[in-house]
Amino acid sequence: MGKGGSLSEGVIKNIVLSYTYVAIWIFLSFTVIVYNKYILDKKMYDWPFPISLTMIHMSFCSTLAFLLIKVFNFVEPVSMSRDTYLRSVVPIGALYSLSLWLSNSAYIYLSVSFIQMLKALMPVAVYSIGVLFKKEGFKSETMVNMLSISFGVAIAAYGEARFDVWGVVLQLGAVAFEATRLVLIQILLTSKGITLNPITSLYYVAPCCLGFLFIPWIVVEFPVLRETSSFHFDYVIFGTNSFCAFALNLAVFLLVGKTSALTMNVAGVVKDWLLIAFSWSVIKDTVTPINLFGYGIAFLGVTYYNHAKLQALKAKEAQKSAQQIDEESGRLLEEKEGGRKIEPED
């Protein structure tokens, strides 16, 4: 009983911890999205400078990542040559900077709820780009699922009360750049045995993002900031906003480390529904029945996609376990036969 009870307590503890990590990640992700919308929206804080906001985030995250790795030794740095950095990290940093710039820009033109609906296209973009780069095999069943997600998002877009073409172009561009970044991480880093957690990723990628964003910032936003009072830096607003963005990366580190990336994907679906409800009830964004119907179709497609990934992961783990058992059985058999050969004769 004691042993069984101990096991049950351990299982319960793990379940509670997992749900705690999920809740923390959902809360911080939710907070960062709403906070960014508050800062950038002209009807709220009215500071419509997405490049500047992204650069503030990257500066803050770079500094804290440096302190955590080099000063406090919170995580171990990854050994990386200059050539690897230039060939692998720099392209990923360029895509990340474009993704963040465009996604933050979309908050100026679109509602939080509609942006979450458009983000449902992420699996479609990742799969399509994966097939293009030969990292994913083309499967008719998967493609039909991708088309169903796209169809649902198209219906949601048709029913959007505050549809803005430029805002949609920005968000779709952000999805495309982010999907390409995720595929290139597999090609340029994972395939070479380089694994970056969110902290080491910020340590290497955030300074690179700053460099890429500096050029459009000088041309697009700096002249406007210099000529207006908006150049005043609000330490409370931008400090807390940047801290939330960094805390979100820590939460990702904990969630993926203690559970799995698939758990985060599933939690992301829950977060999207919460954001849609918040956008409608608190921010007072208009959410139409056609919106919900279209997103419902996309939601089912994304859910099926996550389910298929889970089943594939289980099958892979089962195959790996069976292979290990076969190897162990073969080794024991060889040892047994070897023992018989050296037995002394009577």
Side-chain angles (χ1 to χ4, degrees):
M1 177 68 183
K3 193 173 182 180
S6 174
L7 181 62
S8 299
E9 287 173 8
V11 170
I12 292 170
K13 183 180 179 181
N14 287 333
I15 291 172
V16 171
L17 280 175
S18 296
Y19 277 106
T20 301
Y21 294 134
V22 167
I24 291 171
W25 178 81
I26 288 176
F27 172 77
L28 288 170
S29 182
F30 184 100
T31 301
V32 169
I33 289 170
V34 174
Y35 210 158
N36 287 351
K37 172 68 175 176
Y38 168 75
I39 291 172
L40 295 165
D41 197 305
K42 294 179 181 179
K43 295 179 182 179
M44 298 182 189
Y45 188 75
D46 191 21
W47 202 74
F49 300 101
I51 305 176
S52 301
L53 182 63
T54 307
M55 290 181 72
I56 291 169
H57 287 174
M58 291 297 100
S59 300
F60 188 89
C61 290
S62 295
T63 304
L64 280 189
F66 176 83
L67 291 173
L68 286 174
I69 291 174
K70 292 295 187 181
V71 178
F72 299 109
N73 298 317
F74 184 74
V75 291
E76 288 293 325
V78 176
S79 178
M80 188 181 301
S81 67
R82 183 172 177 271
D83 183 64
T84 301
Y85 183 82
L86 292 174
R87 291 176 179 272
S88 301
V89 176
V90 170
I92 291 169
L95 291 168
Y96 193 39
S97 62
L98 288 168
S99 172
L100 292 172
W101 171 14
L102 297 185
S103 63
N104 281 333
S105 298
Y107 287 113
I108 300 172
Y109 305 97
L110 303 175
S111 66
V112 170
S113 57
F114 187 44
I115 286 174
Q116 303 316 303
M117 294 177 190
L118 291 175
K119 284 181 180 179
L121 288 170
M122 184 60 75
V124 180
V126 171
Y127 178 73
S128 301
I129 294 169
V131 170
L132 185 66
F133 282 94
K134 298 187 179 351
K135 291 302 291 182
E136 292 275 0
F138 180 85
K139 296 178 181 177
S140 300
E141 183 184 357
T142 305
M143 185 51 69
V144 169
N145 186 32
M146 297 298 108
L147 290 174
S148 72
I149 295 172
S150 303
F151 180 66
V153 172
I155 293 175
Y158 176 77
E160 174 59 23
R162 287 182 53 201
F163 187 88
D164 185 282
V165 175
W166 181 236
V168 171
V169 168
L170 288 170
Q171 186 55 49
L172 293 181
V175 168
F177 283 124
E178 178 63 10
T180 306
R181 182 183 77 91
L182 293 173
V183 173
L184 281 188
I185 286 174
Q186 290 182 305
I187 296 172
L188 299 177
L189 294 177
T190 308
S191 62
K192 297 178 182 178
I194 301 172
T195 304
L196 298 179
N197 63 50
I199 309 302
T200 52
S201 180
L202 285 175
Y203 176 75
Y204 289 108
V205 175
C208 188
C209 288
L210 271 174
F212 281 110
L213 290 170
F214 184 75
I215 298 171
W217 179 75
I218 285 290
V219 176
V220 178
E221 293 186 2
F222 179 69
V224 181
L225 286 166
R226 186 174 54 186
E227 293 173 6
T228 65
S229 58
S230 298
F231 193 67
H232 171 70
F233 190 84
D234 191 327
Y235 286 95
V236 174
I237 291 292
F238 296 115
T240 52
N241 179 246
S242 298
F243 181 79
C244 287
F246 185 79
L248 176 59
N249 281 278
L250 280 177
V252 172
F253 177 60
L254 287 172
L255 181 60
V256 176
K258 301 298 181 181
T259 57
S260 67
L262 188 61
T263 301
M264 192 175 78
N265 289 341
V266 175
V269 173
V270 177
K271 178 209 67 180
D272 290 342
W273 278 109
L274 290 174
L275 277 166
I276 291 170
F278 181 86
S279 177
W280 170 74
S281 61
V282 179
I283 304 178
K284 302 302 179 184
D285 287 331
T286 302
V287 179
T288 67
I290 298 177
N291 270 150
L292 294 176
F293 176 71
Y295 184 64
I297 294 174
F299 164 75
L300 291 175
V302 173
T303 302
Y304 179 78
Y305 173 75
N306 286 328
H307 172 73
K309 284 181 68 177
L310 178 61
Q311 295 305 312
L313 187 63
K314 284 182 177 178
K316 188 176 180 180
E317 288 295 325
Q319 185 180 7
K320 187 178 178 182
S321 297
Q323 186 178 356
Q324 288 176 344
I325 291 170
D326 288 342
E327 289 176 356
E328 181 67 18
S329 298
R331 186 180 65 80
L332 290 172
L333 186 60
E334 286 178 3
E335 289 179 357
K336 189 174 181 180
E337 289 177 350
R340 285 176 180 172
K341 287 179 183 179
I342 62 172
E343 282 180 0
E345 295 183 2
D346 293 334

